[in-house]
Amino acid sequence: MQKQIFLIDKLKEDRTLTKQEWVQLITERTPEAAEYLFAIAREERHAHYGHDVYIRGLIEFTNYCKNDCLYCGIRKSNSRANRYRLSEEEILSCCRTGYELGFRTFVLQGGEDASYTDDRIVRLTGSIKDRYPDCALTLSIGEKSCQSYRRYFEAGADRYLLRHETSNEAHYSRLHPPSLIASARKECLWNLKEIGYQVGTGFMVGSPYQTAEHLAEDMLFIRELNPQMVGIGPFIVHRDTPFADQTSGTLELTLFMLGLLRLMLPKVLLPATTALGTIDPKGRELGILAGANVLMPNLSPTGVRKDYSLYDNKICTGDEAAECRSCLERRMEAVGYQIVTARGDSLNRL
Ligand code: 5AD
Ligand code: FES
């Protein structure tokens, strides 16, 4: 316990640890150390972002994907996935609804779907930014060439989310088909940063074969990249994937990693993810109390939500889903936080 407190204090002081120290802090964590960590993480969060919670309207516009990531329910080999694409009109209609609900950031997320050509993404980006110049637009559409990223940026996209998934190359290879490699993923992230995007990366907690060393390497990579946002959530089994028999990640370790991220990058934007809300009914509230400051509720039309099934039992896909905004408002107020209508740009320097 003494050693844990020492390492947490050192992290707060230096904003980094050695790989060995990360491993020790993660493997020897205790509930008491976690409470101590969360209290300091909240202090940091309150110093920079107060009790505000930013919301992002997530529009899952296509579940077609050319990739075959072993963990993911919309991988191309999953013939049981019910595939859909939203038209540009449908996407714009989601934005309209979202704007009225107070969203000032839209996140367009989808599988790597060739039918959404660069020209279409550029046109869509332009249309959204024309209609909602006061909103931020985030793209989350996977690995693209530097040239493509530049075109989207010039069309008005402000931010880009691309989780690195795991920093360790050998581990990355166990989660992905041979066509996907960790270095290419990282290259994309550096390109995005160079172009001028506000960049989000992240990883799954408790993914198959993950060790504390891997998590330590994730922390070191994130520290080096210095992104504006870090999205983490537990790995959750999807029954129609090769990982059907694996075990899901835990609430407890995900919360601990959230606290560590808040201390390492005090001004980073940190979402309490839908996956966190899925493994525990109070997951998102606990995420906020561990240092998170962003929620990304779904704005996709309710009819398609259950089909964007990355993992089993995803929340907010049923009839209640249209009410996410007010539901989250109540949930946040219950733990002493408030949802705000703001773009919510990162204070972490570009
Ligand atoms: N469990 C948890 N998260 C998942 N993702 C994909 N599949 C799963 C799963 N089974 C995450 C990946 C991806 C993001 C969009 O969703 O980290 O980057
Ligand atoms: Fe989606 Fe409660 S947050 S229904």
Side-chain angles (χ1 to χ4, degrees), residues 46-67:
H46 296 153
H48 301 295
Y49 293 104
H51 286 68
D52 291 351
V53 175
Y54 300 120
I55 47 169
R56 319 308 195 187
L58 187 62
I59 304 169
E60 297 159 336
F61 69 98
T62 172
N63 71 353
Y64 282 86
C65 191
K66 69 171 182 183
N67 291 331

Side-chain angles (χ1 to χ4, degrees), residues 284 316 320-321 323-324 327-328 331:
R284 287 169 299 178
C316 302
E320 82 296 353
E323 303 299 326
C324 280
C327 172
L328 285 175
R331 284 166 172 266

Side-chain angles (χ1 to χ4, degrees), residues 66 72 76 93 98 168 195 237 271 280 300 306 325 337 342 346:
K66 69 171 182 183
C72 182
K76 77 163 177 229
S93 150
N168 181 279
I195 292 166
V237 167
D280 188 284
S300 314
K306 63 179 182 330
R325 164 79 215 246
Y337 290 82
S346 175

Side-chain angles (χ1 to χ4, degrees), residues 219-282:
M219 296 308 275
L220 293 171
F221 170 71
I222 291 171
R223 164 84 205 196
E224 189 193 346
L225 181 69
N226 192 25
Q228 280 66 49
M229 176 170 167
V230 179
I232 68 165
F235 158 72
I236 302 175
V237 167
H238 189 293
R239 65 175 84 84
D240 300 319
T241 64
F243 289 160
D245 297 327
Q246 299 280 347
T247 16
S248 297
T250 64
L251 171 75
E252 182 270 323
L253 181 53
T254 308
L255 295 175
F256 196 75
M257 296 310 297
L258 280 172
L260 295 180
L261 283 163
R262 172 60 67 207
L263 280 202
M264 181 172 79
L265 298 176
K267 295 181 182 175
V268 84
L269 292 164
L270 210 51
T273 55
T274 303
L276 192 57
T278 298
I279 42 160
D280 188 284
K282 284 275 176 290

Side-chain angles (χ1 to χ4, degrees), residues 273-337:
T273 55
T274 303
L276 192 57
T278 298
I279 42 160
D280 188 284
K282 284 275 176 290
R284 287 169 299 178
E285 288 88 333
L286 293 168
I288 296 292
L289 292 168
N293 66 335
V294 174
L295 292 168
M296 301 175 67
N298 210 310
L299 272 184
S300 314
T302 43
V304 302
R305 285 190 194 180
K306 63 179 182 330
D307 294 328
Y308 201 83
S309 166
L310 307 182
Y311 45 81
D312 289 340
N313 306 316
K314 190 175 164 202
I315 52 168
C316 302
T317 57
D319 290 339
E320 82 296 353
E323 303 299 326
C324 280
R325 164 79 215 246
S326 46
C327 172
L328 285 175
E329 217 150 78
R330 281 194 304 276
R331 284 166 172 266
M332 290 301 115
E333 273 165 20
V335 289
Y337 290 82

Side-chain angles (χ1 to χ4, degrees), residues 125-258:
T125 299
S127 309
I128 295 174
K129 292 297 284 194
D130 275 351
R131 285 176 176 70
Y132 307 102
D134 56 330
C135 292
L137 181 65
T138 306
L139 296 178
S140 179
I141 54 176
E143 294 182 30
K144 306 277 177 180
S145 69
C146 196
Q147 164 71 11
S148 298
Y149 286 150
R150 202 168 276 124
R151 285 193 64 198
Y152 313 150
F153 188 74
E154 282 161 8
D158 305 278
R159 307 179 183 146
Y160 204 99
L161 304 182
L162 185 74
R163 291 187 177 179
H164 68 278
E165 309 297 359
T166 175
S167 182
N168 181 279
E169 292 198 14
H171 185 221
Y172 195 94
S173 301
R174 301 188 76 175
L175 303 182
H176 298 94
S179 58
L180 298 174
I181 53 172
S183 56
R185 193 89 177 167
K186 290 180 183 172
E187 187 64 35
C188 286
L189 285 161
W190 291 112
N191 287 340
L192 289 161
K193 241 194 142 192
E194 170 80 25
I195 292 166
Y197 283 98
Q198 298 173 37
V199 170
T201 192
F203 56 91
M204 289 178 290
V205 177
S207 59
Y209 321 114
Q210 184 181 64
T211 64
E213 278 77 17
H214 296 150
L215 288 170
E217 289 173 37
D218 288 325
M219 296 308 275
L220 293 171
F221 170 71
I222 291 171
R223 164 84 205 196
E224 189 193 346
L225 181 69
N226 192 25
Q228 280 66 49
M229 176 170 167
V230 179
I232 68 165
F235 158 72
I236 302 175
V237 167
H238 189 293
R239 65 175 84 84
D240 300 319
T241 64
F243 289 160
D245 297 327
Q246 299 280 347
T247 16
S248 297
T250 64
L251 171 75
E252 182 270 323
L253 181 53
T254 308
L255 295 175
F256 196 75
M257 296 310 297
L258 280 172

